[in-house]
Amino acid sequence: MKVLVTGGARSGKSGFAEAYAAKLGAEGVYVATGQAYDEEMEQRIAMHRREREASGFPWRTIEEPLALAETLLHLQDEQAGGAAKDLRPVVLVDCLTLWLSNWSLRLETEPEAERRSKRRLRSLPE
């Protein structure tokens, strides 16, 4: 089963998803895509870590800001030969918006991305 939780910024999506995951399985894999680019984000990441630890639900955290697909495929392979399907850990990805932002920021800072943007701008009709 796959579940997508949506909502506004700081609307409680993570807390809801974590509580829901705890109802679905005995343990979880938390794939965190957030990166601490500033102090506010550092504090938010630390708060999320503390809340997961305090929840009593056993989370294995994987911090992966970019290679999400590869991480999920690795987890799928890891679980393929293991426990029965109903005993496999619940996988929670938090958050797809941050993952996309990470890619946007990365591409924005790459020299080739800047050259491509300039070429596109030159090719636009006036």
Side-chain angles (χ1 to χ4, degrees):
M1 167 181 27
K2 294 170 182 67
V3 177
L4 176 66
V5 178
T6 65
R10 299 191 185 132
S11 62
K13 295 180 299 292
S14 295
F16 174 83
E18 291 167 20
Y20 190 67
K23 291 179 183 179
L24 294 176
E27 59 184 30
V29 177
Y30 195 99
V31 182
T33 63
Q35 295 185 86
Y37 288 114
D38 58 24
E39 188 176 325
E40 179 186 2
M41 192 61 175
E42 285 177 10
Q43 292 172 358
R44 288 180 63 202
I45 290 170
M47 178 192 68
H48 279 275
R49 283 184 187 137
R50 285 190 304 272
E51 288 172 351
R52 283 195 307 276
E53 290 169 6
S55 74
F57 185 74
W59 288 106
R60 170 182 153 205
T61 301
I62 299 172
E63 294 183 5
E64 183 47 64
L66 295 168
L68 182 56
E70 295 86 343
T71 299
L72 294 175
L73 288 170
H74 176 76
L75 288 170
Q76 181 179 351
D77 290 346
E78 198 177 83
Q79 294 178 7
K85 196 170 189 174
D86 59 334
L87 297 177
R88 293 179 186 165
V90 176
V91 177
L92 189 154
V93 176
D94 190 10
C95 133
L96 294 177
T97 302
L98 289 175
W99 171 73
L100 184 58
S101 294
N102 294 338
W103 271 108
S104 295
L105 289 169
R106 179 178 177 191
L107 293 174
E108 205 174 83
T109 59
E110 289 182 359
E112 180 56 31
E114 186 175 329
R115 285 193 291 273
R116 284 192 302 263
S117 295
K118 287 179 181 176
R119 281 194 302 261
R120 280 191 207 115
L121 287 174
R122 284 193 303 259
S123 67
L124 292 174
E126 292 184 33

